[in-house]
């Protein structure tokens, strides 16, 4: 449940949303991305109001403006990794070869080799699958990539690799909104929002992430500690 | 029983699927129960009806009092005869106005209730409480199927005069109670009868009835009577005995509608049982895949493969048992309507109760089909190792080929994704295709049958033969050949010829109906389906049933007995005819005269020139002094077969509706399953930006190709096999080669209709995904 929320996400930011369970983090993410509609209030993206759109209009909005990375990964089991990335690409670009080329390039960028690209999802590790999910999220060059606890089910090595991919995308100009419980993941953002009981209880701006930085970690820890995290 | 909790769990988890099975089995069981009741109980009940009404075994209408007395005395002296009755009546060809909204003509007997027959007729079982001065008792069949009501009016036209009566009550009489038999009896109170006699040209006649001892063939006794009457009547026996019949020839005609109806119901049940088997196979396979982990757990905890298998098969056996018992209940509930329909055909009241044998057989057959289908499809459980099952199966995803890769497959994204889904579920696709093929085939079969029956000329030709355009009966004593020549010379008449049907001949293979006409080559419709029609006096064509039951071949010799004479004929061909349910012979008139020298034909057929005025010609023939009656042949044939045709058409139409229902049920079952199993995937796609419409298209695309393939195959098979199958269904009624014409446009229409219904069903079910948000679908 969100209430009295007045929030602006700036283009090019890596915004991290934190907070205790039930604070409304995922709800915020779903509302911003048009996956759920608010019961009241408005949401504008790039100057366009999306909160009064029909489900199909929202679908069109999402395919053009949103990329998603889920905690449960949520790749389509019935497809290979490559097809998983191509499928949303074909929603906005009918040039099959161009979309396929971009999908292969993105998969390569996230560290998935050619022979793995044609494998089905069930045969891959969680890290590989999540990196493929990031590639899928980026294929349409969305306005915003929404990541909902993308490392929640990964070990530390795979978590780091996924976060590296997201960080690089952000450096390339990609706006990212990421929900996380994890302090190390949160350090990747340049803006941290802390939600509690559906309202923004705290906000912290950081310089862009450049690599592991103890001072950044201390600052973040102090911020979160002040909020009772 | 350790498997019982597992069965209960399966029933609970697959409620929707089991409900569909129950409905399907119930449908099949209801039809099978009705089919079996008709096939098993109806013939014996009809036999009991004959006993109840003390039906005569031999009936002759004689137009001479002296000859009638002579016939009665002859029968009374026959040691095979147990009782004889003679009753004065009036007889004539009469037209019933307003019968089923039209007019039908039949040979009618009018009885005086002061002189009722002592055997074979029950008058006034239904009776209007008000006694009408112009009351008339009509055959029960006319009330059941003709649209007449007790107390309502009925108009009967005899020659130029029309008499209107009130229906006082009904008559049951097996030998003359149905238009199907070509002769119907009416009865009136004495005063009314006297008035009627005074006003009409109806011929004074005497109905001679006799019952024979058990074990005696009535047609043999009838033959002896005919021989005697011929000898007494000289050369005019047919004019003086315009109608005679025996119960062993008549009963098959009365059983014809029931046997046709039963055959169609049982054939259709087989198709429904096939659909049930396919659906159960699909359900078991799906359940095994869905429950792999549970199967692994069970096996790991000590359940044997047989127990697990029984738990899957047991669900469906139980479901089928419930469906079958409900089906029997539904069938039983529908039985009064069916009984009424049969009464409407035969004029004999049929009030079946609960028939245990058909009910038990029905339940056993449906349970057996379900047990077989579920048992075989659950066999794969035996091969599953516990560890593999616990891991969700040992199949290697990458061993599965990636069909329709998106980087190489042309076409819209939604259709390609749908096809990808379809390629992942080949078993389901096969099931859909098989069911679609079965139902498309059945629909084409029903449409073909309907069209065949909707073409009265084709159906009446096959069942009754070509009767020309006009049927006319000479008055007794008229020179038949002169009359024929005079009618042939009338304006608009192309040809006049005699074509008679005799009901009392015998062969070593039993009683037969004999048709005699001078030249079969002049007939518009050729009943011969193998070989050729007889041309010489020593040649005969045999009916389909007679040929099949006795393995008669072309070239064989057949001895025929009639009225104490016998003659041998060489079989030249096989004919199809409903007379005697195919126990029939076709002879040339010269051939028949070998059995009955001096034969005087009675049925004059008239074929008109193209464009000739039918009504004017009928009027002209009626005005001829030597003509007793003249009728429109089509109307006459319709009066005999119309109710049966309507019943069969109704059945065919009902089957088409049931096919549509099955399409909706089966496609709905598969689609609902796909929607349910694919909710998470649909949620992901929604999140990625696929619209509801696209998801709907994908669902359609994932099933439509299989359905289209099945429909195309089913339509083609139906097109190729409907005519032979209709012939097979009609075999019991003497049909051998039925001309079923299904135009291509009709086949296309059937295909398009079934596919459209499929798409509509899938689209409707896909709507279930519409109102749920992507997030909710993913996290369900």
């Amino acid at each position: 449940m969100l209430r009295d929320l007045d929030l602006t996400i700036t283009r090019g930011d890596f915004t991290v949303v934190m907070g205790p369970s039930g604070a409304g983090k995922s709800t915020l993410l779903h509302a911003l991305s048009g996956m759920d509609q608010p019961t009241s209030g408005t949401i504008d993206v790039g100057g366009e109001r999306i909160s009064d759109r029909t489900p199909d209009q929202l679908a069109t909005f999402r395919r053009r403006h949103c990329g998603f990375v889920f905690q449960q990964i949520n790749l389509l089991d019935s497809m290979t990794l490559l097809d998983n990335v191509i499928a949303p690409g074909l929603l906005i670009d009918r040039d099959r070869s161009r979309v396929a080329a971009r999908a292969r390039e993105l998969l390569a960028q996230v560290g998935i080799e050619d022979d793995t690209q044609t494998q089905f999802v069930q045969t891959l590790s969680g890290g590989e699958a999540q990196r493929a999910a990031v590639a899928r999220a980026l294929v349409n060059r969305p306005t915003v990539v929404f990541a909902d606890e993308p490392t929640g089910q990964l070990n530390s090595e795979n978590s780091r690799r996924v976060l590296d991919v997201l960080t690089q995308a952000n450096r390339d100009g990609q706006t990212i909104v990421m929900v996380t419980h994890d302090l190390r993941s949160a350090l990747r953002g340049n803006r941290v929002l802390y939600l509690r009981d559906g309202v923004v209880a705290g906000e912290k701006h950081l310089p862009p992430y450049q690599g592991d930085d103890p001072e950044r970690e201390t600052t973040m820890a102090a911020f979160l500690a002040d909020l009772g995290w | 029983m350790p498997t019982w909790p597992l069965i209960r769990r399966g029933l609970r988890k697959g409620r929707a699927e089991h409900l569909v099975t129950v409905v399907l089995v119930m449908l099949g069981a209801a039809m099978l129960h009705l089919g079996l009741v008709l096939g098993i109980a109806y013939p014996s009940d009809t036999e009991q009806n004959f006993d109840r009404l003390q039906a005569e075994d031999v009936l002759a209408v004689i137009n001479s009092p002296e000859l009638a007395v002579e016939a009665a005395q002859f029968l009374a002296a026959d040691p095979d005869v147990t009782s004889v009755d003679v009753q004065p009546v009036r007889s004539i060809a009469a037209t019933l106005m307003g019968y089923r909204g039209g007019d039908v003509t039949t040979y009618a007997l009018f009885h005086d209730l002061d002189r009722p027959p002592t055997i074979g007729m029950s008058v006034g079982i239904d009776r209007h409480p008000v006694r009408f001065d112009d009351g008339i008792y009509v055959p029960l069949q006319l009330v059941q199927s003709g649209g007449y009501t007790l107390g309502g009016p009925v108009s009967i036209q005899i020659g130029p005069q029309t008499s209107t009566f009130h229906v006082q009550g009904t008559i049951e009489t097996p030998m003359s109670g149905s238009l199907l038999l070509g002769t119907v009896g009416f009865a009136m109170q004495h005063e009314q009868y006297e008035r009627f006699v005074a006003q009409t040209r109806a011929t004074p006649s005497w109905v001679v009835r006799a019952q024979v001892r058990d074990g005696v063939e009535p047609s043999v006794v009838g033959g002896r009577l005919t021989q005697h009457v011929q000898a007494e009547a000289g050369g005019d026996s047919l004019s003086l005995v315009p109608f005679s019949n025996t119960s062993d020839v008549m009963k098959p005609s009365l059983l014809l509608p029931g046997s046709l109806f039963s055959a169609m119901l049982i054939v259709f049940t087989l198709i429904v049982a096939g659909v049930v088997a396919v659906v159960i196979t699909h359900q078991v396979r799906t359940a095994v895949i869905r429950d792999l982990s549970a199967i692994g757990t069970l096996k790991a905890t000590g359940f044997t493969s047989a127990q697990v298998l029984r738990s899957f098969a047991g669900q469906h056996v139980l479901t089928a048992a419930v469906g079958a018992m409900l089906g029997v209940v539904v069938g039983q509930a529908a039985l009064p309507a069916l009984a009424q329909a049969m009464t409407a055909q035969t004029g004999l009241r049929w009030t079946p109760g609960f028939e245990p044998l058909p009910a038990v057989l029905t339940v056993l057959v449906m349970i057996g089909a379900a047990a077989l289908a579920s048992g075989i499809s659950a066999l794969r459980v035996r091969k599953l190792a516990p560890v593999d099952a616990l891991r969700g199966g040992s199949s290697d995803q990458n061993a599965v080929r990636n069909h329709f890769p998106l980087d190489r497959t042309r076409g819209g994204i939604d259709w390609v994704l749908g096809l990808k889904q379809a390629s992942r579920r080949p078993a389901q696709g096969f099931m859909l295709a098989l069911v679609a093929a079965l139902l498309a085939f059945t629909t084409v079969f029903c449409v073909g049958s309907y069209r065949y029956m909707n073409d009265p000329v084709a159906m009446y030709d096959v069942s009754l033969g070509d009767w020309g355009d006009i049927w006319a009966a000479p008055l007794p004593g008229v020179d038949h050949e002169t009359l024929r020549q005079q009618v042939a010379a009338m304006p608009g008449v192309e040809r006049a010829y005699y074509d008679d049907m005799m009901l009392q001949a015998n062969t070593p293979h039993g009683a037969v109906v004999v048709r005699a006409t001078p030249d079969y080559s002049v007939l518009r419709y050729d009943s011969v389906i193998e070989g050729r029609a007889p041309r010489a006096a020593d040649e005969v064509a045999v009916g389909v049933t007679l040929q099949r039951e006795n393995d008669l071949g072309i070239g064989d010799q057949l001895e025929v007995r009639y009225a104490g004479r016998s003659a041998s004929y060489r079989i030249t061909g096989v004919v199809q005819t409903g007379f005697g349910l195919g126990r029939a012979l076709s002879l040339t008139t010269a051939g028949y005269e070998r059995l009955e020298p001096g034969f005087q034909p009675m049925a004059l057929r008239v074929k008109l020139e193209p464009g000739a005025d039918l009504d004017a010609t009928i009027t002209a023939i009626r005005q001829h002094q030597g003509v007793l009656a003249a009728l429109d042949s089509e109307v006459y044939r319709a009066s005999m077969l119309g109710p049966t045709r309507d019943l069969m058409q109704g059945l065919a139409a009902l089957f088409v509706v049931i096919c549509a229902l099955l399409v909706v049920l089966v496609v709905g079952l598969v689609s609902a399953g796909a929607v349910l199993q694919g909710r998470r995937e649909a949620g992901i796609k929604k999140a990625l930006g696929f619209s509801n419409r696209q998801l709907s298209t994908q669902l359609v695309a994932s099933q439509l190709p299989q359905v289209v393939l099945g429909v195309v195959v089913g339509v083609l098979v139906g097109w190729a096999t409907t005519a032979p199958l209709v012939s097979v269904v009609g075999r019991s009624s003497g049909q051998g080669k039925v001309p079923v014409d299904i135009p291509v446009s009709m086949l296309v229409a059937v295909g398009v209709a079934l596919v459209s219904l499929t798409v509509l069903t899938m689209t409707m079910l896909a709507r279930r995904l519409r109102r749920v948000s992507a997030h909710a679908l993913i996290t369900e």
Side-chain angles (χ1 to χ4, degrees), chain B residues 150-191:
Chain B
L150 285 182
V154 53
S155 295
I156 300 175
Q157 187 184 45
I158 295 170
Q161 185 177 354
T162 300
S163 306
T164 300
F165 306 88
H166 279 92
V167 178
Q168 187 71 63
T170 59
I171 297 173
E172 269 188 285
T173 173
M175 298 284 277
S176 56
S178 169
L179 292 168
L180 185 68
L181 305 174
T183 300
V184 291
F186 298 86
M188 291 172 248
Q189 296 295 337
H190 179 69
E191 304 78 29

Side-chain angles (χ1 to χ4, degrees), chain B residues 4 25 48 76 118 204 225 398 457 475 477 481 489 512 571 577 591 612 646 648 681:
Chain B
W4 175 239
V25 172
Q48 285 173 14
T118 56
L225 172 67
N398 284 322
V457 173
L475 277 169
E481 180 54 23
V512 290
I571 297 173
T577 173
D646 291 352
M648 300 302 288
E681 187 158 324

Side-chain angles (χ1 to χ4, degrees), chain B residues 183-207:
Chain B
T183 300
V184 291
F186 298 86
M188 291 172 248
Q189 296 295 337
H190 179 69
E191 304 78 29
Q192 172 65 16
Y193 180 78
E194 290 295 322
R195 279 199 297 274
F196 173 75
V197 164
Q199 289 169 2
T200 64
R201 290 171 55 188
T203 312
S205 305
W206 284 260
V207 177

Side-chain angles (χ1 to χ4, degrees), chain B residues 639-650:
Chain B
S639 72
M640 295 180 74
L641 278 187
T644 304
R645 190 185 73 141
D646 291 352
L647 184 68
M648 300 302 288
Q649 271 192 306

Side-chain angles (χ1 to χ4, degrees), chain A residues 11 19 27-28 60 110 121 150 193 195 201 209:
Chain A
R11 191 183 294 271
T27 305
L28 173 64
T60 306
V110 298
V121 175
L193 297 172
L195 291 187
Y209 178 79

